[in-house]
Amino acid sequence: MIVGVEESVVAVMLSMGLTSETVSRLSALWGKSAARNAGRMHLLLGHLLDTAAVAEVMWHSYLAPSLRWRLDEISGGRGREWFMWVCGIHDCGKATPAFQSVDAVEAARVIAAGLTWRRWPAGKRWRHDVAGGALLAPLLRDAWGRDAAGWVWPLVSGHHGAFPSAQSLTAPREQQGRGAGWAEVQRALVEVFTRSVGFESLEGACPRQPLRKAEQLALSGLIVMADWIASDALCFPGIADVADVSLAGARRRAEAGWSRLRLSGGWGQLPMPDSRLQPLERRFGVEPRASQVELVERAWEMPVPGLLVVEAPMGEGKTKAALAAAEVLAARFGLDGVFVAMPTQATSDPMYEQVLSWVRSFDPELESEVGLLHGKRRFNPRWRGIWEGSAVDGSDGCTGDVGDEYGAIDEDDEFGMVAPCCGVADRDGPPRWFLGSKRGLLTGFAVGTVDHLLYAATRTRHVMLRFAGLAGKVVIVDEVHAADVYMRQFLEEALRWLGQAGVPVVLLSATLPPQQRQSLVDAYISGATGRADVSEVVPVPAGYPCVTAAYAVDERPVVETSTRATAPWRAAFPMELAWLPDVTVDGAVVADAARQAVAGGGVALVIVNQVERAQRIYRTLLDRGFDGEVHLLHGRLCTAHRAERTERCLQRLGPGAGGGRPARMVVVATQLAEQSFDVDADVLITDLAPVDLLLQRIGRLHRHEGTRRPAAVCCPRVMVSGVAASPGGGPVFLPASKLIYGEWPLLRAAALVVEAAGPLTCEGDDASEAAEVRGGPHERGRRRGWSIPAQVPDLVARAYGDAEACPAAWADRVRVARETYLEEQEKRAAAAQEFVLTRPREWAAPTLAGLHCGGAYGVRAEEELDAVVRDGERSVEVVLVRRLPGGYAALDGSRLGVHGEAVQDDVVDRVLGGSVRLPARLTRDAEKDLAALPGWSAHPWLRYSSALVLEQDGWASLGEYRVGYDEVLGLLVTAASRPEGPRVGGDDV
């Protein structure tokens, strides 16, 4: 018998024939104590039904159609009720002595009802999430069978962020519940709840088939989301009388709470485009290029969700084509949003603008559903404009503690944190709830650093919440080649899980080595087929640009690629290459070459591999009276200065510069200008880098159509520095370049440049050569140069292929460098395995049980996660402040309180605008000696920031170093024994 939803759960209990004793005991079990729930105790059955009701609202207003279809499929058409059931049952483990005894006041009612317990030895308390698995597993085995029970109980045991193993379910009897009374009330709780949400019995809730493991992970994240929303005491005040608990009441509370939070999903069910190219022509108003058409056509032709790998020249319009393909994929396969992953924070901001414009073309109101996911979003004026009045108080959506353990929300929380606030949105404002830690990917649309995708492939707490934010979306990863061997372990792991979850992925690159293309395809296909170590050979593309499609039909892998050459949007053009030998830190040779290169007008872009070198080149240009604009851009600028300078360069040299383009200008930068920096330079001077990155730098050269250039720079020209010839033959590299990239990739790159620019020569070997290197006209006609973009695939393939590319005279050096490089690559790949979500040889496991055994799931802070997914020496970000008599000031001079207090929002912004990342060699001393100012303790943005206080002479002591900041040059570091001078920059970029 199923009782009407308006009836109290008491009526459900009576209809089941439960004894009055069992009814009394069930009615006493508490789920939220008054002490931790805004002063009002909430019954356990009330919280279970609240969570189920939130799940029902999510079903109608949040879940992607693809997820609803899949849940309907596995439940025999009862996906909504089953989703409610699996979300609500999550806290059944609270019906145990271990939990009920935690609060003495609430425990008194339970004891009075006849549920008692003995004292147990001191030790680790039995957690209710694990207790829930121990309670539910045998009940489900009896009602459903071993297989169905085996994949469902981990969803309950994992709702606090980590999945235990089956062996860990061995419960201490005193804490789990000893005797018939506890067993009866636990069974009754599950049955009463099951009938309350619409099933006639526990047997009737049995799923017909299992979800794939990746789908289980996404479902687990949705359970956590429903639990967090239902745990907010403001939206769901406690109910202490069981007669007031009903599904109907829970539904009213859930609807009101959802509305109050202004939560929503993305598109919902997106209608099919009217024509195959409408997503390009209508959304972007462009005449589709051939490469864009091919990508969109592939999105139409794939029979199931899959992977699309797009390789096309810089400036080809890959991003617009990817967004258009995402619309097609979403409409065809029931996806309701997009996540666009970018390599850096700096590249995320312009992409955010583009995605905002694109989303508005569907519905202007969707603008507030677009999240920007990186640590400096507060300084993005567009994001601030949309969220103004909602998050500018610095709380980022929450008024409570903004630590990284949201969801550890009740009395058995091992970290002692308070319940997370939901962040009630202002009327007509955006949903602040999504601003909380780990929630960003749950927005309908998101743009952010690729780290957020990589986080979803780490064995860390609440990884399921991050993955749930990817399921139901189309995932686009730009500049995919930028991931090094360490990061690729997480990227490939993410592709395996996304492939199994049926999430379409679009990968974009201009310079993707064939081996990387193969490994990325293999990873996705492994997930799509559900088999480990699958390798399906990727056919050689017919040309460049090209698109590779990979998917699985009935667990059979299919990989297709371009079978005919597609012409790029502009014809290949010759790129003149010349050597500019220089391995000095001061870079005077580079400064002179830049000045000469634009003597007749034009723009020179200088990209070097070391901050100190960039600073010195900039200073030399100024000291020698360069007649034109000079700009300096690097990673040791404070946040405010870096943003201002980047914006200024884009305004002067971007696609909309027009008549604002300067007559004569030099931009000196580090790798920040390497990719997704949409400027157009006339001449490029660059330190040698691996070939794919060198080509990325060349992509900033003669980039935009219609740019008017002086006659002297009408042909694109590249000068390669950061290298010199040794008297014994072979190149000598800038030490910083060897440290960053390793010697072997640099040797391969040097060999390929030699083919185009001629041999490196020692000073005095060839006077005409030296003249030409410095920009002179002699003998340029004998150079072959490179044809860009036609040669890009071949150059990248040769740089990373097995065939020898270096001159025979370098053979011994190349052999040693290659062995060293490959050994280092293997070590870095192995190091990632400690943190990768799936342990080796466990990919094929059918359930989530034990997923978090071992590994790094104890990682708590976002900064620690950065270290997990990005290899290399740790570095620390600090906030620079100035000491004044009787107080402090922000870096820009804004006065703070005696203890550093910054009350007003605009002052907080100015304080944080002084954030800068220190060189890695200062990390140990910074972590040991620096902390937040005393006046920052109450501010959620400042309390976790480390202040580096510059004394009144402008310098601070840190270990063996003195650190200062120059308004133009940026961070300055000198040994403490040296005078404050031009020992500037740092040991990394």
Side-chain angles (χ1 to χ4, degrees):
M1 174 183 177
I2 302 177
V3 177
V5 295
E6 287 289 347
E7 298 284 352
S8 163
V9 289
V10 175
V12 178
M13 298 183 209
L14 295 176
S15 72
M16 293 170 55
L18 297 182
T19 66
S20 59
E21 183 180 49
T22 301
V23 171
S24 175
R25 290 172 175 176
L26 265 179
S27 302
L29 294 176
W30 60 276
K32 306 285 181 183
S33 69
R36 302 292 296 272
N37 197 55
R40 296 179 63 177
M41 184 270 280
H42 195 28
L43 290 172
L44 178 54
L45 275 168
H47 176 58
L48 300 190
L49 287 177
D50 283 345
T51 308
V54 169
E56 185 175 39
V57 178
M58 289 170 61
W59 175 273
H60 294 296
S61 304
Y62 181 80
L63 263 63
S66 59
L67 294 174
R68 297 200 303 268
W69 299 339
R70 184 70 177 125
L71 291 175
D72 269 336
E73 181 181 7
I74 66 110
S75 63
R78 302 190 68 178
R80 176 180 60 83
E81 293 95 328
W82 197 83
F83 183 59
M84 293 171 65
W85 181 88
V86 77
C87 288
I89 202 65
H90 74 286
D91 260 353
C92 63
K94 289 183 175 179
T96 57
F99 182 85
Q100 294 296 312
S101 65
V102 168
D103 186 286
V105 174
E106 313 302 352
R109 281 183 37 154
V110 181
I111 295 171
L115 289 173
T116 59
W117 49 84
R118 301 174 184 173
R119 296 176 62 90
W120 46 80
K124 187 172 181 179
R125 189 167 60 249
W126 184 232
R127 290 182 58 97
H128 83 258
D129 46 359
V130 183
L135 184 159
L136 199 59
L139 296 179
L140 296 185
R141 282 196 294 268
D142 291 343
W144 295 0
R146 185 170 296 277
D147 289 343
W151 69 268
V152 172
W153 73 255
L155 301 177
V156 171
S157 283
H159 81 266
H160 272 253
F163 296 103
S165 66
Q167 290 72 26
S168 67
L169 297 189
T170 303
R173 291 191 61 194
E174 290 297 339
Q175 297 193 51
Q176 183 72 8
R178 180 188 293 272
W182 276 106
E184 173 61 26
V185 82
Q186 290 167 353
R187 240 186 343 264
L189 175 77
V190 174
E191 284 285 359
V192 168
F193 170 75
T194 300
R195 296 191 186 210
S196 295
V197 296
F199 290 101
E200 61 280 2
S201 65
L202 185 58
E203 288 78 4
C206 179
R208 307 289 180 83
Q209 57 180 278
L211 290 172
R212 294 181 285 269
K213 187 165 68 172
E215 296 169 329
Q216 296 170 31
L217 189 66
L219 175 58
S220 176
L222 295 172
I223 294 170
V224 174
M225 179 179 175
D227 180 27
W228 288 6
I229 293 172
S231 294
D232 189 284
L234 296 177
C235 298
F236 297 86
I239 299 176
D241 187 344
V242 72
D244 296 329
V245 174
S246 68
L247 179 60
R251 281 171 166 166
R252 288 190 288 269
R253 288 152 61 91
E255 291 282 359
W258 188 267
S259 177
R260 190 180 185 196
L261 299 176
R262 294 186 56 79
L263 298 178
S264 67
W267 288 305
Q269 180 59 65
L270 194 63
M272 296 293 289
D274 295 333
S275 66
R276 294 176 80 85
L277 294 182
Q278 179 190 355
L280 273 171
E281 296 169 337
R282 178 181 169 189
R283 303 289 174 206
F284 298 104
V286 299
E287 182 72 27
R289 297 168 179 170
S291 61
Q292 293 175 322
V293 171
E294 181 179 12
L295 175 57
V296 173
E297 289 291 346
R298 286 282 184 183
W300 279 108
E301 292 166 3
M302 278 200 307
V304 294
L307 174 71
L308 294 169
V309 183
V310 184
E311 298 169 69
M314 292 71 73
E316 183 74 14
K318 295 187 290 293
T319 304
K320 288 184 174 66
L323 293 173
E327 179 181 351
V328 174
L329 294 167
R332 293 186 62 214
F333 301 122
L335 293 314
D336 76 337
V338 171
F339 172 54
V340 182
M342 303 297 294
T344 64
Q345 293 180 359
T347 56
S348 298
D349 283 341
M351 181 57 63
Y352 173 67
E353 297 278 353
Q354 186 167 341
V355 171
L356 274 178
S357 177
W358 176 66
V359 166
R360 280 197 303 270
S361 71
F362 295 92
D363 183 347
E365 292 187 4
L366 288 176
E367 181 181 71
S368 64
E369 306 299 327
V370 183
L372 177 59
L373 309 183
H374 66 66
K376 295 294 184 293
R377 64 186 176 189
R378 184 182 178 88
F379 299 98
N380 182 291
R382 195 52 198 253
W383 184 83
R384 286 294 299 273
I386 293 172
W387 293 87
E388 191 71 35
S390 292
V392 294
D393 62 352
S395 67
D396 214 20
C398 287
T399 55
D401 197 316
V402 294
D404 203 40
E405 287 302 332
Y406 282 103
I409 53 177
D410 42 40
E411 281 74 7
D412 76 335
D413 168 25
E414 62 184 315
F415 301 111
M417 303 222 4
V418 298
C421 76
C422 284
V424 176
D426 295 339
R427 187 180 63 183
D428 300 325
R432 294 176 60 184
W433 192 89
F434 291 123
L435 292 177
S437 179
K438 304 179 183 176
R439 306 178 194 177
L441 284 174
L442 294 169
T443 55
F445 309 91
V447 179
T449 58
V450 70
D451 303 62
H452 290 272
L453 173 61
L454 306 184
Y455 295 160
T458 58
R459 208 176 325 138
T460 51
R461 188 176 291 275
H462 289 121
V463 65
M464 70 286 289
L465 200 68
R466 302 181 190 277
F467 192 78
L470 297 172
K473 286 185 174 68
V474 180
V475 174
I476 300 171
V477 186
D478 199 7
E479 311 283 8
V480 69
H481 58 271
D484 61 21
V485 66
Y486 183 88
M487 294 172 66
R488 281 202 302 274
Q489 309 310 305
F490 299 99
L491 177 59
E492 291 171 14
E493 179 74 357
L495 290 175
R496 279 189 282 271
W497 285 84
L498 293 172
Q500 192 178 67
V503 175
V505 179
V506 185
L507 304 180
L508 309 178
S509 177
T511 55
L512 189 66
Q515 301 96 317
Q516 285 189 35
R517 181 202 307 137
Q518 181 68 59
S519 64
L520 295 172
V521 166
D522 285 345
Y524 191 91
I525 286 294
S526 177
T529 59
R531 300 197 302 272
D533 303 322
V534 174
S535 182
E536 188 74 11
V537 176
V538 178
V540 177
Y544 178 77
C546 63
V547 179
T548 299
Y551 50 91
V553 178
D554 297 327
E555 298 187 357
R556 180 179 60 84
V558 178
V559 180
E560 304 164 333
T561 194
S562 302
T563 56
R564 64 179 185 276
T566 301
W569 72 275
R570 65 177 180 180
F573 55 91
M575 182 78 63
E576 180 186 327
L577 269 74
W579 290 111
L580 183 63
D582 178 48
V583 291
T584 63
V585 174
D586 66 38
V589 170
V590 174
D592 287 344
R595 187 178 65 255
Q596 292 179 29
V598 294
V603 176
L605 175 61
V606 179
I607 303 179
V608 295
N609 296 341
Q610 187 179 18
V611 171
E612 183 175 350
R613 185 163 153 90
Q615 290 170 317
R616 298 241 182 152
I617 291 169
Y618 174 86
R619 178 176 282 178
T620 300
L621 283 166
L622 292 185
D623 291 347
R624 297 185 180 180
F626 176 70
D627 182 21
E629 292 185 32
V630 190
H631 298 275
L632 176 64
L633 186 62
H634 59 73
R636 296 289 171 255
L637 295 170
C638 72
T639 297
H641 291 163
R642 180 168 160 181
E644 291 166 2
R645 295 186 194 182
T646 300
E647 181 62 25
R648 192 179 308 133
C649 288
L650 292 173
Q651 288 175 351
R652 302 290 269 156
L653 304 176
R661 188 177 174 85
R664 186 179 294 105
M665 179 176 176
V666 176
V667 178
V668 183
T670 58
Q671 290 93 322
L672 296 181
E674 190 168 83
Q675 54 197 5
S676 298
F677 186 54
D678 196 8
V679 299
D680 183 337
D682 301 314
V683 177
L684 173 68
I685 302 175
T686 174
D687 281 347
L688 185 70
V691 163
D692 54 331
L693 303 181
L694 193 61
L695 290 168
Q696 287 290 332
R697 299 178 186 188
I698 289 173
R700 313 308 116 193
L701 194 58
H702 288 233
R703 183 179 177 90
H704 302 144
E705 285 186 290
T707 301
R708 300 179 64 179
R709 309 179 197 279
V713 291
C714 63
C715 295
R717 186 155 57 97
V718 179
M719 287 176 270
V720 181
S721 190
V723 62
S726 66
V732 175
F733 301 121
L734 190 71
S737 300
K738 288 179 62 176
L739 181 66
I740 297 166
Y741 302 116
E743 187 173 23
W744 185 67
L746 292 175
L747 286 168
R748 304 276 287 195
L752 294 176
V753 175
V754 162
E755 294 178 1
L760 272 165
T761 58
C762 293
E763 188 173 349
D765 285 355
D766 187 336
S768 65
E769 183 82 15
E772 181 179 344
V773 160
R774 286 169 171 77
H778 307 293
E779 300 182 305
R780 286 185 188 160
R782 74 179 184 176
R783 305 274 182 242
R784 289 192 303 166
W786 284 343
S787 179
I788 302 297
Q791 280 186 264
V792 167
D794 179 64
L795 289 168
V796 175
R798 292 180 62 200
Y800 290 96
D802 295 327
E804 188 51 69
C806 298
W810 303 0
D812 290 342
R813 183 178 173 190
V814 167
R815 177 180 53 78
V816 174
R818 183 176 186 274
E819 291 174 357
T820 301
Y821 177 79
L822 293 179
E823 181 181 352
E824 179 63 24
Q825 296 292 90
E826 289 178 4
K827 288 181 180 178
R828 295 180 68 200
Q833 293 306 313
E834 180 183 353
F835 306 103
V836 166
L837 183 52
T838 310
R839 291 184 298 278
R841 297 178 299 279
E842 291 190 9
W843 167 247
T847 80
L848 297 170
L851 187 68
H852 281 88
C853 293
Y857 70 90
V859 170
R860 297 176 61 186
E862 204 82 349
E863 293 77 11
E864 293 179 77
L865 266 176
D866 291 342
V868 166
V869 299
R870 290 184 182 264
D871 195 16
E873 294 182 281
R874 289 184 301 110
S875 60
V876 172
E877 186 175 75
V878 299
V879 178
L880 299 175
V881 296
R882 302 186 187 279
R883 191 184 300 278
L884 300 177
Y888 300 91
L891 185 64
D892 72 347
S894 299
R895 188 65 185 253
L896 307 178
V898 174
H899 302 292
E901 297 87 349
V903 179
Q904 296 179 329
D905 294 330
D906 60 338
V907 177
V908 174
D909 283 347
R910 292 172 196 160
V911 172
L912 291 171
S915 301
V916 66
R917 191 161 291 278
L918 298 177
R921 66 180 183 273
L922 303 182
T923 298
R924 181 180 302 175
D925 289 320
E927 291 180 337
K928 178 169 62 76
D929 298 338
L930 301 184
L933 293 181
W936 293 358
S937 60
H939 197 284
W941 276 81
L942 295 174
R943 73 176 76 171
Y944 302 111
S945 300
S946 294
L948 181 61
V949 181
L950 304 179
E951 301 298 337
Q952 294 183 52
D953 65 355
W955 291 82
S957 295
L958 193 59
E960 299 176 357
Y961 297 93
R962 283 173 57 78
V963 181
Y965 189 86
D966 184 275
E967 295 291 322
V968 176
L969 296 176
L971 195 74
L972 309 177
V973 179
T974 182
S977 59
R978 297 187 183 184
E980 292 83 356
R983 170 66 174 98
V984 294
D987 49 5
D988 40 16
V989 298

